[in-house]
């Protein structure tokens, strides 16, 4: 192979490697009125990893108005809300080792922020996903759809 061509191939491979890893950050805000600022989140097709940053812009503490961000398949959503409440405050209302939980942040109070990262391999292109706050009673208002692709 001519030297120049090898150089070109190497450059191409480098560019490919750079493209191969892409963390996509989604910003979500929550407040004292028991609301997220988004109803829909989109993960682009070329993301390899997703980072969700959750901010609580309110003032109330985590025991009174705690928020988190939990991702699950829409088909598992209703059942998971019950299990999540049963997990309790200390567990951040997220059941441990539950396969229905695709990703979850910690539970935070006003003025705090938290984040979670997960690989795109957790999602299927075109799948139906719901994100919600698992604090007791919050999911009725605090939920939305996540789409990928
Ligand atoms: Zn909440």
């Amino acid at each position: 192979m001519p030297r120049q061509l090898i150089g070109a191939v190497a450059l191409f491979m480098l560019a490919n490697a750079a493209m191969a890893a892409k963390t996509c950050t989604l910003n979500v805000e929550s407040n004292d009125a028991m609301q997220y600022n988004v109803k829909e989140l989109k993960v682009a097709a070329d993301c390899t990893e997703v980072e969700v940053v959750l901010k609580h812009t309110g003032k109330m503490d985590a025991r009174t108005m705690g928020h988190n961000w939990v991702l699950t398949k829409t088909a598992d959503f209703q059942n998971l809300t019950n299990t999540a409440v049963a997990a309790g405050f200390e567990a951040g209302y997220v059941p441990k080792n539950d396969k229905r939980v695709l990703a979850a942040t910690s539970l935070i109070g006003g003025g705090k922020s938290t984040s979670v990262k997960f690989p795109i391999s957790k999602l299927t292109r075109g799948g139906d996903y719901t994100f919600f706050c698992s604090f007791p009673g919050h999911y009725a208002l605090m939920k939305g759809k996540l789409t990928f692709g």
Side-chain angles (χ1 to χ4, degrees):
M1 204 184 280
R3 204 181 169 82
Q4 276 173 326
L5 189 57
I6 291 171
V9 168
L11 267 178
F12 177 76
M13 286 171 70
L14 268 176
N16 240 8
M19 279 169 63
K22 184 180 174 190
T23 301
C24 298
T25 303
L26 304 171
N27 291 294
V28 179
E29 287 185 6
S30 55
N31 60 26
D32 283 345
M34 210 194 289
Q35 284 168 332
Y36 287 134
N37 68 334
V38 287
K39 291 261 177 248
E40 203 183 333
L41 290 169
K42 285 182 180 167
V43 177
D46 62 344
C47 302
T48 55
E49 186 183 49
V50 182
E51 180 184 31
V52 174
V53 179
L54 174 70
K55 198 173 164 187
H56 190 322
T57 61
K59 288 186 164 56
M60 295 165 83
D61 71 33
R63 281 194 180 270
T64 318
M65 186 54 74
H67 299 313
N68 62 9
W69 186 94
V70 180
L71 182 68
T72 187
K73 286 180 184 162
T74 297
D76 292 330
F77 168 58
Q78 280 298 341
N79 279 330
L80 181 57
T81 57
N82 296 327
T83 317
V85 168
F89 177 83
E90 296 304 329
Y93 297 110
V94 175
K96 278 199 168 54
N97 304 319
D98 191 315
K99 283 183 179 168
R100 294 171 298 177
V101 177
L102 302 176
T105 68
S106 54
L107 188 77
I108 54 169
K112 301 266 181 3
S113 56
T114 183
S115 67
V116 63
K117 277 186 185 176
F118 59 95
I120 206 69
S121 57
K122 293 260 185 180
L123 306 178
T124 307
R125 222 170 277 272
D128 189 356
Y129 301 99
T130 293
F131 64 87
F132 67 103
C133 173
S134 65
F135 190 98
H138 286 198
Y139 70 87
L141 282 175
M142 300 186 74
K143 67 175 176 186
K145 289 270 184 179
L146 182 139
T147 55
F148 165 53

